[in-house]
Amino acid sequence: MGMLLSGRGLITSLIFFLLKFSTAVDIPLSVQQVPTIIKQSKVQVAFPFDEYFQIECEAKGNPEPTFSWSKDDKPFDLSDPRIIVSNNSGTFRIPNEGHISHFQGKYRCFASNKLGIAMSEEMEFIVPNVPKFPKEKIDPLEVEEGDPIVLPCNPPKGLPPLHIYWMNIELEHIEQDERVYMSQKGDLYFANVEEKDSRNDYCCFAAFPRLRTIVQKMPMKLTVNSLKHANDSSSSTEIGSKANSIKQRKPRLLLPSPESGSESSVTILKGDTLLLECFAEGLPTPQVDWSKMGGDLPKGRETKENYGKTLKIENVSYRDKGNYRCTASNFLGSAIHDFHVIVEEPPRWTKKPQSGVYSTGSSGILLCESEGEPEPTIKWRVNGFPIERNPFSGDVISPREISFTNVQPNHTAVYQCEASNVHGTILANANIDVVDVRPLIQTADEENYATVVGYSAFLHCEFFASPEAIVSWQKVEEAKPLEGRRYHFHENGTLQINETTEEDAGSYSCWVENAKGKTAVTANLDIRNATKLRVSPKNPRVPRSHTLELRCESKCDSHLKYSLKLSWSKDGEAFEINGTEDGRILIDGANLTISNVTVEDQGVYSCSAHTALDSTAAMTQVTVLDVPDPPENLHLSERQNRSVRLTWEAGDDHNSNISEYIIEFEGNREEPGRWEELTRVQGEETTVMLSLAPYVRYQFRVIAVNEVGRSQPSQPSDHHETPPAAPDKNPQNIRVQASQPKEMIIKWEPLKPMEQNGPGLEYRVTWKPQGAPVEWEEETVTNHTLRVMTSAVYAPYDVQVQAVNHLGSGPEPQSVILYSGEDYPDTAPVIHGVDVINSTLVKVTWSTIPKERVHGHLKGYQVNWWKTKSLLDGRTYPKEVNILRFSGQRNYGMVPSLDAFSEFHLTVLAYNSKGAGPESEPYIFQTPEGVPEKPTFLKVIKVDKDTATLSWGLPKKLNGNLTGYLLQYQIINDTYEIGELNDINITTPSKPSWRLSNLNATTKYKFYLRACTSKGCGKPITEESSTLGEGKYAGLYDDISTQGWFIGLMCAIALLTLILLTVCFVKRNKGGKYSVKEKEDLHPDPEVQSVKDETFGEYSDSDEKPLKGSLRSLNRDMQATESADSLVEYGEGDHGLFSEDGSFIGAYAGSKEKGSAESNGSSTATFPLRA
C-alpha cells in the first residue's frame, strides 16, 4: 500500500514537472510554428434583412497557413462563385441573393501549413423559414356554462425565442386569471366557462422578434350557453346559483395532459430556467399548490407565476433535481401530478490541453478532462485526423491524456481533443512545437523606463528561447550581476527593483543565454520625484444648507505634469468627472464645491492624483453640522400655584454642541395653538423651574439651539393649570387720540391674556383737571378706550387707568397728563418783509401769533405764494399757489426756486395738529433779472477749410432782457490735449448766426454758445465740427443758404416751431401744465449753487410730487452772480401744494469756468471729412 502511494506521488511529480517544462509560450512569428486559429464564428443566423452573412476563420503560423472548410463533415468548395472569400484568411461571405438555403449546415475550418493542421469548432449556419399559420377553417365551439374548454394555438415553428399572445380582433389582450390560463405551448385553457367568455374573435398571435415577424391564427368563435334550470319566477341570482350547483365538480388536470398520467419526466440543462405548469378544470375554480418531495423549494430562486399555475426556478443546479408535485384542489376534492426533474449539462473543460514549446529530446504530456451529464466521451485527433490513423512513435495514448518522450523536430503537430455528449461538443487545439533556436529578445534595445522615488521599477526583457535559457541583469557601469533583496527576477525576464532611490538611475544590461547562444539588450532607468497632495481645509465642519469648497493642492515632478490627473471620491466611491447631474456637486479640476450641504454629504473626501508613474491620495473628514433633533420625553413635577418643574431628554446634537434650550408655552385661552417664549436655559441643563402666571392652562415645549440654528419643537408636555388671582399690573401707554375741541378720547394698551390673572377683566378710568382741588371723576369700561367731554380747549388733565377683575384690583395706578382736543388757530401772522437774496431766492420774516391764539400745539408756519406777472413781457398768470412749511416756533423762512424777473404774491399762516389758521394779507414782491437758459439749439450750417458758420435758437427762458451772446471755440482733435479757448462777444441779441474765420484746415473744433443778460451769461450749448482739407471738399457747402432745398427745409422748421409755440401759449393761458419738471428730473441741472447757512421749510406742488435736487458744476470764465435752489434742499419735503409749470426748478445763474467749457446739452454735427 505504501509503495502504491509512492508510485502515485512519483507520477504526480512527473506530470507537474512535464507541465512546468512545457509551459505555453507565445512563439514569435519569425520562428517556424504550427497554425493557431485566433478567430472563428459561432452560430450564424441568416436573417432576411441582412445584406450578407460572414463566416469567420483566421489563423497565424509560420509558414503562413492555408485554409479549407468542411460542411456537414464533407469537404466544402471555397471556389463556389456564390461566395466571396477574403484574402489571407479563411473567412468567406454568403451574399443574401435568394439561394442561401443551399448553404445551411454545420461548418468546420482547417488551417494548415507544412508543420501541422489546426481545426475549429463546428459553426452552424441557420437559414430560418418564414413562419406561417396554416390556412384552415376553424369550426365554432359551443359549450355550456361551467364546462371546461381548451382553445389550441399550435404556433408554427421558427427561430426562437417565440412569444405567444391571445387577443381579440381589436388587438386587446384576452384577460387571464385563476380561471383562464395560457400554457407554455400557447393553448388557452378555461377551467370553467362563463357567459362573458362568449366571443367570435379569439385570435392567437405568434411573435418571432429575431425575425421581426408576427403571425396570426384565424379567429375562433366560442359560444357559451347559459343554463336555465330554475323556474321563470326565480331571480337571476337564484338561477345562477342553481345552475352552478348542477355543474360543480372536483378538479381534473388538463395540464399536464391526462394522457401523461399522474407522473412525467422533465429534463433541464444546468443553469437554465425550469418551468413546470399545472392547470386543472373544475367548479369552483381549483387552486394550485407546489411542493418538492423530500425537500423544500429553493428559496430565492423559485417563483410562482400565473396565479400559481407555473413554478419557475432560475439558474438550475444539480441539487434541484428530484420530484416536484402540483396539487389542484377545491372544496370537492383534489388532483395531483408529479414531475421527475432530471438536470443534465453539456460538456465543459476541467483540464484543457495546453500548447507547449519543446526542444529536441525533451518529453511532454497533454491532459484532456471534461465534465457533463451524461458523461462526455473524449476523442483525440492529430492535425485534424483521428489519432488512430496517424500516431507518432513513442506516444502513449489514453482517453484523458497523451504522453510523449524524446521528441524530434518531426514531432511538431496540432493535437485536438474533442468532448461530446447529447447536449453538445467542445473542441480544443494544443500545439506541439519542437524548436531549437538561440534566444530571441523581443524587448527593444535602449528602451527608456522611469519611476518615482520609493516605487518599484520594472525593466522588461521578454524573450523566446528553446532550449530553456538563463537570464541575468547587471548595471552597465558596474559590469557584475545584480544581487540583493531589492532585486527580483521574473521568469519572463523582467527585472523588478523595489523601493527605488535616486541612485538606481542609469543603464542596465539584460543577458539571455541557452545551449544555442546568448543575446543582450540595454535598458535605461530614470528616477522622478513622487507626487504630493494636500486637501484644504483640513477636516472642515460645515453647517447644513451651506456651501462647502474643498481644494486639492498638488506638487509633482516637472516631467509628470502633462499626465497629472486629479479625481475626487467620497467614502471610497468616485464622483463623476464634473460632479453630479443635478449640479449640486461641482468638480472643477482641483476644486470640489458642494452647494446646499446635507447630512448625507458627511464623510471622508479623498483627492487622488494619478500620473504616468505614480498615484497618491489625500483625505479630509467633512463633518456636517445640523440643527439638533427636538428634545424628548418632557415631564412636569413639583407643581405649585405659580411654578412647575419641567424636565426633558436631549436629542441628537448633529455634531454641534447644544448651547441653550428655549422653553415655550401655550396658554392663551382665546388663541389656542399660539406658542410664546417663556425662558431659556444653558445647553448643559435638562431641567428648569418655571415661574407661571395665574389663571392659565399651560402646556410646554422645548427647542434646542446649537451653532447651526434651532431644532424643531418637542412634543408638548402635559397640561398644568394655575388658579386665578387679582391683576399684577395696570395698562401701559395711556394716551389721547386725535379728538374734537373740548373732548378727550383716552386710549391705552390692554392687558394681554397672560396678564389678566382671572376672569371679568375691566378698566377703571379716573380723571380731573391738572392740579385742581376737585374730586376725581371715574368710569369703568371693558374695552381699551373712553371718550370724555371737557370744559376747555387743549387743557391738561391728570388721568389714571387701573385693571380690575373678579378677584380684585391691580396695583395703585400712576397719573399721566393728557390734553383735551385742539381747535384751529384763530389769528394770522403779520408779514414784516420779503428780502430778495437773488433772482430765484427770497427770505420772508413774520411775527409769531400768541400762544393762547394757537388753541393747541403749534406745529409751525406755512408760506403760500403764487406768480402774478412777468416783468419781461408784462404777461399775467392765473393764481396757482405753492406751499412751503416751516416746523416749530420760528419767524422767518427761505423761499427758493422762484422765476427770475417776475412779480409774486405771498401769505403766511400758522398750523397745529387740528389744521391751518387764517392767512395774512398778501405781500407783493418782485424778483430781479437772472442769467438766461442755454440756447435751444446750435448748428454748424456751413464749413470750409478755414471758416465755419454757426446758427442758433433763443433760450426757452430769457430770465431778463437779452444783451447778446458769448461764443467760444477751441481745437479738440482726437487727442487728450485741447487747444486754447477763444472768446467772441456778440452784442446783437437779435442776430441768430455768426461766421468764424481764420480757422485751421482739416481740424476738429468744439463750439460753446451762451446767452447773456445784464446779470451775466447762462449755461453753454455745444457743437463739434471739422474744417475741410485743401481742395478735396472745398465748395461742397458753398452757398448752402442759397440752395432751394435748404430754404424749403428752414421754412418747414419755422412753421413747425410756430405751431408748437402757439399750442404751448394756449395751454399756459388755460392754466395747463407741461412737463418741464419731468424733463429736468431726467436731466438734472449741474450748475445750481446752494445757499449756505439758511434753514428752509417744506415744499411740494399741488399734486404732492417730491422735487428733485440739483447738482453743482463750474463753468469757465463766468462770474457767479445769483443762485437758484431746489426746494427739496431747503424745505422739509413732506407735502404741500404746487401747481406752477415747474420751470423754476432749472438753473438761473452760473459760476466761473475752470478749464474747457462742457455742457450736458452738447450735440455733434457729422460732415464728410478729409482723411
Side-chain angles (χ1 to χ4, degrees), residues 138 141 149 151-152 165-169 172-175 179-180 188 190 193-205 216-224:
I138 302 176
L141 299 173
I149 194 169
L151 302 184
Y165 309 95
W166 280 90
M167 293 186 282
N168 61 19
I169 204 68
E172 297 171 337
H173 286 273
I174 302 298
E175 185 177 354
R179 190 177 57 85
V180 182
L188 190 64
F190 293 81
V193 294
E194 299 176 355
E195 277 191 86
K196 66 180 182 179
D197 296 325
S198 292
R199 61 187 319 127
N200 58 5
D201 58 351
Y202 281 96
C203 298
C204 179
F205 291 83
Q216 175 191 342
K217 188 181 180 74
M218 295 295 292
M220 302 182 199
K221 181 177 181 181
L222 173 64
T223 302
V224 179

Side-chain angles (χ1 to χ4, degrees), residues 931-953:
V931 297
E933 291 186 350
K934 65 183 179 183
T936 53
F937 70 88
L938 174 63
K939 297 293 182 184
V940 179
I941 61 173
K942 182 178 180 181
V943 67
D944 208 334
K945 66 179 181 179
D946 59 355
T947 64
T949 302
L950 289 83
S951 177
W952 59 84

